[in-house]
Amino acid sequence: MLLLHCPWCGPRDEPEFVCGGQSHMVRPEPWHAVDEATWGHYLFTRDNPKGVHLERWHHAHGCRQWFNVARHTVTHEILAIYRMDEPVPNAVAGARA
Amino acid sequence: MSAGRLYSGGRIDREQPLAFSFDGRDYIGYAGDTLASALLANDVRVVGRSFKYHRPRGLLAAGVEEPNALMQVGEGAASEANLRATEVELYAGLTARAVNCWPSARFDVGAVLRPLERFLTAGFYYKTFMWPDWHLFERYIRKAAGLGRPSTEADTSRYETRYAHCDVLIVGSGPAGLAAAVAAAADGQRVILCEQDPQLGGRLRWDPCVVNGQSLDGATAAAWIDAQVAALAAAGDAIVATRTTAVGYFDHNAVTLVERVTDHLGPQAPAHLPRQRLWQVRAGKVVLASGAIERPLVFPGNDRPGVMLATAVRRYLHEFAVRAGERLVVFTNNDDAYATAHAFQAAGGAVVAVIDSRAAPTATVLQAARAAGFAVVTGAVVCGTSGRPVLSSLRVRDAAGNTTFFNCDVLAMSGGHSPTVHLFSQSGGRLVWDDTRLQFRPGDSVQAEVSIGDAASVDTPVAALWNVEGRGKAFVDFQHDVSATDIALAARESFRSVEHLKRYTTLGMAPDQGKTSNVNALVRMGELTGRMPGDVGTTRYRFPFTPVSVGAIGGRQRGELFRPLRRMPLHDWHATHGAVLEEYGGWMRPAYYLQPGEHPHAAEQREALAVRTAAGLFDGSPLGKIEVSGPDAAVFLDRFYANTVSTLAIGRLRYGLMLNELGVIIDDGVVARLADDRFLVATTTGGAARIAGLMEEWLQCEWTTFRVLVAPLTTSIAVITLTGPKARSLLQTVGVDFPVGATEFPHMSFREGHVGGIPALVCRVSFTGEVSYEINVANSAVRGLWERFMAVGAADGLMPVGIEAWMLLRTEKGYLHIGADTDGTTAPQDIGWGHVLKREVDFIGRRSLTRTANLATDRYQLVGLEPVDGAELRPGRHLRGDAVTSGSEGYITSGIYSAALGRWVGMAMVRGGYARSGEVLNGVSGSSTFKARIAPLCSYDPAGDRLRG
Ligand SMILES: [Zn+2]
């Protein structure tokens, strides 16, 4: 059971949260200029790293805010938690390289 | 020769005798006994039958590692299966039965299998029952397999869950754990100390230990334990939990404990206490002081009742004053077991011999043994046992190969100790093989955790002795009847990976989790395949360390609290007016209101007819209601809905569809524009929370610059829907402070004002096809308003209407019900909403609507259906056209008998349905067939005159 530090509420147990999958997905636009392969990629293709994964979580049973989590998929180490409007922290970007 | 109670000593209370029964016979034990110690005190030597071969088995151990003495304890609803007798504290009136045998452990009918033993080797089932089909045999094998039986009655016990946080969690209260707890508490740390036994002290309670250079035994040990408990109490907020086992170690230092609060009291447990309590602990640091578990030696006949672990023999002596027999032989590969011989002699037993596999045991130990008069045979092994069923003699083979026989009724064996690494392994850490001490011990920590004391490493030197050859089965895993030859067989058949070995032989599985067997098996596999044990590796120990009752996991979340249902503000009115309340989307709602003697179908038809001919009153309170406001609210809703919202005038309503990015319809409802920058969005009942959540997700994660607030209001507003040809006059009778004429208050508009003097927002929108008013009022006001309507409407034929009639009315009109008429593939163009493709603006799912697959003409399309020759159009029935002779071309999504039309009405998803208007389809219902014609969706008042009237 993960311990996640909600940027607004502090450390809380995993059952309070919902994982919304990979973060930083870029929605292709405008829709009429997007070919099927690109759209299909956006809908269905996701990273599946053995290592650091950037994902978005929702404090569903708390403040109801979304935020980003950099989580190591093997150790479950939480490398960083940052707001939706913040870029990937440098340290995390380094760990992923 | 017999086992029995000593006249003095032990930590039992001889003033408190307790009567109990085992396999139908009555016995007496004492307070402080475990079921195991009480059975041994009563000379009950056979306590169970083995899993596969039904061999008689006695107690092997005295603690959680006991593999043989699995018990069915208690009667009726309180009956629990597969408890280890060594963990069951005795209480007055306890009833126990050995599992896996009938009628008793001593005389077991299942033992007829024993002559087949040599066929029932590892993989027997896999090999034998693969042809022609495992499933032919499965029923019979499952019946013969398994251990205890769960009670068929509902568990009447209460269980609780507790969350706890601490700086340091210490698992185990032996000398190491207790000292660590005191030190941490003295340092100002918040401490939780958990101990699986009823008392603190661990091994200190039955063995001399050296703590901080001080040798403690008996009274001095008890005094030391008391001093530590006092120091912990003085530290203030330390929590000490006995009868509490740490069963799981999860991510981020989350540890699960199970506290057996009243199990030891049996039926005398006070009602105010839960039976068990599940703790979820989040610890800053975890200290694993879980001690060590002794390993059996693997030699032929090592499972005969009377063959026990050496420490267990000592523990029964010192803790329970029970001597396991009269004549003892010790078989060891280390010094530790000699203590058992001395203790046995001191308790008046005869020590027949000490068989030491080492050529040269430690000199001082050897001297002490000889001084005590023990016959020590060095460089020798036990290579066979006999006795029916209890051990009476054994065969010893010395270094020269000569065999001697010894008569004895107890064999205390010791293959050395293994650190109890289960929780460390669960924490994600890897075990390392210590080739000097011959043990797997914790490697590097991967969480904030440290193992101390015997759990870190056991220092007693051990000589390698992993297998003694000889005639007869030598057991490695007693609980699963896995023998040394099974491991050899697995090696021969190339199941050499530790994971394959485990599955092929069932070694170390299930309740036992390999507590006594894993190391012996892995090392043996290494020997057979020329690998070091560290290279063979270990399987990862699983949660839970010891079995956990399902009740403890469920806690309070059972019965009505398993999935709490929501009740509407008018619930009590419905319940007292004949409503049959059923669950719809998590809410308890009236399905129909039964009149005396009325059949449910008749009630549904009566209520629907009342709406068509007079008026009905429907409780729509669970309808999803979300207020969306802010400068960008209109632009946001244009993207959130498949249709345009921003062009909606203030005071007007518009029906809309919501899609996901796959272009699939996920919800529908009516949106009201309250102001330029304020909308009230209605969703389906089931979609209320989900849609509000989705809006937040899009606003927080994608369209982050929009200035929009989303406020879910579903449960703060009650909705009553007044519908039918007499709805308008009833509304006027109750009193309304705005004009309600057909042109002043037209269909698809709303007004804010008062109804019956109560502030209300009234929407003129219809799910029935009749003039309808959805009246939104505060929860607190709805009961009074509902009763006013019922009072003034009774004379006009106003009736309360349940969900079933509501579904009939909307099916007559061909109105969509999301989730019934649509599924996870339905796009707007499949329900006649192709016009959204004309929208240039982007919205959720927009791009998916023009995928090639979405533009196909043979998609499932929603059509109306009318019966041919009085057919019954029941939902789920499949349909196909004349051109198709097998398979399905579609199915009925909604279908119901309409009293208003005197026939069945229906809707269906049909391949390419739009182009097939008027076609008669063939339907299949079991063995009979029927015909139905594709028709317009709307069967009732297709022109909509009644709706707009
Ligand atoms: Zn939060």
Side-chain angles (χ1 to χ4, degrees):
Chain A
M1 184 165 63
L2 305 180
L3 183 67
L4 292 169
H5 289 249
C6 171
W8 288 271
C9 307
R12 300 297 181 96
D13 279 344
E14 185 178 341
E16 292 188 19
F17 299 89
V18 171
C19 181
Q22 184 178 339
S23 198
H24 304 292
M25 294 294 301
V26 177
R27 190 171 189 261
E29 290 172 336
W31 67 268
H32 44 77
V34 179
D35 63 44
E36 287 204 355
T38 306
W39 187 249
H41 181 76
Y42 160 70
L43 288 180
F44 302 117
T45 311
R46 295 293 182 271
D47 294 341
N48 185 20
K50 183 179 181 178
V52 180
H53 189 235
L54 304 180
E55 53 204 20
R56 71 190 194 204
W57 285 73
H58 181 219
H59 197 183
H61 303 284
C63 63
R64 305 186 69 84
Q65 296 300 297
W66 286 86
F67 55 90
N68 287 314
V69 174
R71 179 181 62 94
H72 196 287
T73 57
V74 178
T75 64
H76 292 301
E77 183 191 354
I78 307 295
L79 288 88
I81 287 182
Y82 52 105
R83 295 201 315 260
M84 291 309 301
D85 56 358
E86 290 176 329
V88 182
N90 286 334
V92 175
R96 277 161 56 84
Chain B
M1 289 199 285
S2 62
R5 186 86 66 181
L6 303 177
Y7 289 108
S8 64
R11 292 167 187 272
I12 48 164
D13 181 356
R14 291 167 199 265
E15 301 299 309
Q16 272 198 70
L18 303 172
F20 71 102
S21 80
F22 171 68
D23 275 355
R25 287 198 189 184
D26 295 330
Y27 300 98
I28 303 282
Y30 291 112
D33 261 327
T34 61
L35 176 56
S37 67
L39 286 171
L40 198 57
N42 282 281
D43 196 30
V44 177
R45 306 290 294 276
V46 179
V47 296
R49 289 273 167 168
S50 74
F51 183 56
K52 212 158 76 176
Y53 306 131
H54 287 256
R55 290 165 73 106
R57 290 279 170 82
L59 288 163
L60 178 74
V64 292
E65 69 273 28
E66 171 58 37
N68 295 331
L70 298 182
M71 298 290 161
Q72 185 94 26
V73 176
E75 304 284 343
S79 176
E80 196 167 10
N82 304 341
L83 298 180
R84 288 149 306 284
T86 50
E87 286 186 280
V88 176
E89 291 179 59
L90 201 64
Y91 54 80
L94 181 146
T95 58
R97 288 192 168 277
V99 303
N100 204 35
C101 54
W102 184 87
S104 70
R106 186 95 195 178
F107 176 74
D108 170 29
V109 169
V112 296
L113 278 174
R114 291 201 56 194
L116 301 175
E117 266 180 28
R118 64 196 182 90
F119 301 109
L120 295 170
T121 53
F124 169 75
Y125 292 115
Y126 299 135
K127 290 172 185 165
T128 310
F129 297 110
M130 289 308 290
W131 187 90
D133 182 358
W134 157 255
H135 297 286
L136 287 179
F137 305 103
E138 186 180 4
R139 227 169 55 140
Y140 303 97
I141 291 172
R142 294 253 184 255
K143 203 169 168 180
L147 297 168
R149 304 243 174 268
S151 173
T152 52
E153 297 170 45
D155 187 353
T156 53
S157 305
R158 196 157 51 82
Y159 301 85
E160 278 184 358
T161 307
R162 173 175 178 174
Y163 289 86
H165 300 82
C166 62
D167 297 315
V168 185
L169 169 68
I170 295 130
V171 178
S173 71
L178 210 42
V182 171
D187 192 36
Q189 309 277 304
R190 287 179 305 151
V191 169
I192 295 177
L193 171 64
C194 69
E195 166 57 53
Q196 63 193 3
D197 288 341
Q199 293 95 25
L200 303 179
R203 193 173 173 179
L204 259 181
R205 285 185 288 121
W206 62 88
D207 258 359
C209 295
V210 176
V211 180
N212 298 331
Q214 186 187 358
S215 196
L216 299 173
D217 188 9
T220 57
W224 185 83
I225 294 168
D226 289 346
Q228 308 313 303
V229 172
L232 274 179
D237 59 357
I239 297 173
V240 178
T242 53
R243 297 190 174 97
T244 303
T245 310
V247 292
Y249 195 140
F250 302 97
D251 296 312
H252 298 179
N253 265 13
V255 179
T256 300
L257 318 178
V258 174
E259 180 183 4
R260 296 173 300 282
V261 183
T262 63
D263 277 1
H264 61 292
L265 301 174
Q268 288 87 38
H272 71 280
L273 289 175
R275 182 180 160 226
Q276 295 180 351
R277 187 179 285 131
L278 190 84
W279 294 52
Q280 304 277 15
V281 180
R282 186 77 72 173
K285 184 158 193 165
V286 175
V287 176
L288 297 174
S290 43
I293 291 175
E294 194 165 26
R295 295 192 291 262
L297 287 165
V298 181
F299 59 91
N302 65 345
D303 70 326
R304 192 172 304 282
V307 180
M308 300 171 73
L309 294 172
T311 45
V313 173
R314 279 205 311 274
R315 185 171 175 185
Y316 283 116
L317 270 175
H318 290 144
E319 195 170 17
F320 305 106
V322 174
R323 205 179 63 214
E326 292 176 17
R327 293 171 59 82
L328 172 81
V329 169
V330 170
F331 180 22
T332 185
N333 63 357
N334 64 78
D335 291 345
D336 190 62
Y338 283 75
T340 300
H342 289 290
F344 199 85
Q345 189 185 49
V351 176
V352 176
V354 176
I355 314 301
D356 196 321
S357 70
R358 298 171 296 178
T362 311
T364 50
V365 171
L366 195 56
Q367 262 168 18
R370 293 210 161 122
F374 304 158
V376 181
V377 188
T378 57
V381 293
V382 176
C383 60
T385 65
S386 57
R388 279 187 175 264
V390 178
L391 179 69
S392 59
S393 81
L394 48 79
R395 189 165 51 200
V396 171
R397 188 171 62 223
D398 66 18
N402 303 317
T403 55
T404 341
F405 291 85
F406 290 89
N407 289 331
C408 64
D409 64 343
V410 188
L411 174 62
M413 61 177 166
S414 178
H417 283 73
S418 300
T420 308
V421 293
H422 295 67
L423 289 178
F424 170 80
S425 179
Q426 285 187 30
S427 80
R430 281 188 176 279
L431 303 175
V432 295
W433 175 250
D434 184 329
D435 204 36
T436 307
R437 296 182 182 87
L438 303 186
Q439 61 191 243
F440 280 102
R441 55 179 175 77
D444 294 336
S445 294
V446 298
Q447 297 206 37
E449 161 276 335
V450 62
S451 297
I452 62 169
D454 284 351
S457 170
V458 179
D459 293 332
T460 311
V462 178
L465 176 64
W466 301 107
N467 187 46
V468 177
E469 300 290 345
R471 287 192 57 205
K473 282 190 183 297
F475 284 89
V476 176
D477 182 334
F478 292 75
Q479 187 160 96
H480 301 102
D481 269 349
V482 179
S483 68
T485 49
D486 289 325
I487 294 172
L489 180 70
R492 273 205 309 281
E493 299 190 349
S494 288
F495 291 98
R496 297 171 177 208
S497 143
V498 56
E499 300 289 352
H500 290 160
L501 171 67
K502 174 176 172 176
R503 273 118 195 126
Y504 193 54
T505 63
T506 70
L507 176 108
M509 285 193 178
D512 191 52
Q513 285 293 294
K515 290 184 183 68
T516 53
S517 62
N518 255 23
V519 175
N520 282 340
L522 298 175
V523 177
R524 181 72 188 135
M525 178 55 86
E527 284 184 344
L528 289 166
T529 55
R531 290 176 295 171
M532 291 297 290
D535 298 328
V536 176
T538 57
T539 55
R540 186 161 168 179
Y541 291 97
R542 302 269 177 82
F543 164 85
F545 172 61
T546 51
V548 180
S549 66
V550 173
I553 294 171
R556 292 290 188 95
Q557 287 165 286
R558 53 187 290 194
E560 283 196 349
L561 297 180
F562 178 65
R563 179 169 167 259
L565 292 173
R566 292 193 280 188
R567 296 176 169 200
M568 307 191 291
L570 284 165
H571 182 90
D572 292 343
W573 190 93
H574 299 314
T576 52
H577 288 77
V580 174
L581 293 150
E582 290 179 6
E583 191 220 322
Y584 296 90
W587 292 81
M588 290 302 286
R589 305 186 69 173
Y592 28 75
Y593 300 79
L594 285 185
Q595 293 182 351
E598 196 175 30
H599 189 272
H601 176 73
E604 160 208 296
Q605 297 286 324
R606 169 181 53 75
E607 290 168 15
L609 271 181
V611 172
R612 294 283 178 238
T613 57
L617 203 57
F618 175 77
D619 187 347
S621 297
L623 186 75
K625 295 168 281 280
I626 306 165
E627 188 179 280
V628 178
S629 59
D632 298 313
V635 186
F636 168 64
L637 290 177
D638 271 351
R639 295 199 188 185
F640 201 77
Y641 278 94
N643 47 317
T644 307
V645 173
S646 57
T647 53
L648 188 63
I650 295 168
R652 300 290 298 185
L653 305 171
R654 185 170 292 167
Y655 174 78
L657 289 180
M658 301 171 204
L659 316 181
N660 61 19
E661 280 283 59
L662 302 171
V664 169
I665 301 169
I666 55 168
D667 213 84
D668 68 347
V670 168
V671 55
R673 189 164 207 165
L674 305 171
D676 241 6
D677 59 353
R678 207 153 63 88
F679 297 83
L680 187 63
V681 169
T683 70
T684 60
T685 298
R690 186 164 41 91
I691 297 300
L694 267 180
M695 288 180 169
E696 280 291 350
E697 183 172 4
W698 280 92
L699 286 167
Q700 290 182 33
C701 301
E702 188 65 37
W703 299 316
T704 53
T705 58
F706 282 176
R707 291 159 299 168
V708 177
L709 280 179
V710 175
L713 301 176
T714 302
T715 50
S716 55
I717 301 174
V719 183
I720 58 182
T721 302
L722 177 65
T723 181
K726 295 184 179 173
R728 181 176 293 116
S729 68
L730 282 171
L731 186 62
Q732 285 166 319
T733 309
V734 165
V736 57
D737 60 356
F738 48 82
V740 293
T743 49
E744 299 150 319
F745 186 12
H747 182 54
M748 296 310 273
S749 63
F750 70 90
R751 297 289 180 266
E752 288 177 275
H754 293 77
V755 175
I758 296 165
L761 183 143
V762 184
C763 298
R764 223 197 121 180
V765 59
S766 178
F767 203 47
T768 64
E770 304 292 340
V771 169
S772 295
Y773 302 97
E774 284 185 2
I775 306 165
N776 296 260
V777 296
N779 279 341
S780 55
V782 71
R783 173 90 186 233
L785 186 60
W786 179 279
E787 287 178 336
R788 289 265 326 264
F789 274 116
M790 291 311 302
V792 304
D796 283 329
L798 176 70
M799 286 190 188
V801 178
I803 294 273
E804 298 299 316
W806 211 244
M807 286 297 127
L808 162 54
L809 293 162
R810 69 100 193 161
T811 307
E812 288 173 343
K813 288 296 293 180
Y815 291 150
L816 189 72
H817 188 207
I818 301 287
D821 299 306
T822 68
D823 62 21
T825 67
T826 310
Q829 57 262 53
D830 303 328
I831 60 152
W833 272 54
H835 55 86
V836 298
L837 292 177
K838 297 196 189 101
R839 286 186 77 195
E840 276 305 309
V841 63
D842 197 0
F843 54 88
I844 298 171
R846 177 66 183 87
R847 177 60 187 84
S848 289
L849 300 184
T850 52
R851 289 184 322 137
T852 308
N854 272 61
L855 298 174
T857 54
D858 65 343
R859 289 175 66 85
Y860 280 116
Q861 292 165 339
L862 189 67
V863 294
L865 214 55
E866 58 185 38
V868 175
D869 301 330
E872 298 185 351
L873 306 179
R874 296 188 186 272
R877 291 182 171 178
H878 279 266
L879 305 163
R880 63 178 180 236
D882 283 335
V884 177
T885 53
S886 71
S888 168
E889 281 197 297
Y891 50 92
I892 300 176
T893 58
S894 296
I896 194 163
Y897 181 80
S898 160
L901 296 169
R903 65 167 173 86
W904 284 72
V905 292
M907 297 157 76
M909 277 289 183
V910 176
R911 283 210 178 278
Y914 295 159
R916 303 170 70 168
S917 189
E919 180 179 338
V920 174
L921 301 175
N922 302 301
V924 181
S925 164
S927 54
S928 64
T929 59
F930 64 94
K931 287 185 186 297
R933 184 181 296 109
I934 295 179
L937 279 167
C938 181
S939 311
Y940 185 85
D941 182 30
D945 297 332
R946 301 177 68 91
L947 177 70
R948 279 182 287 274

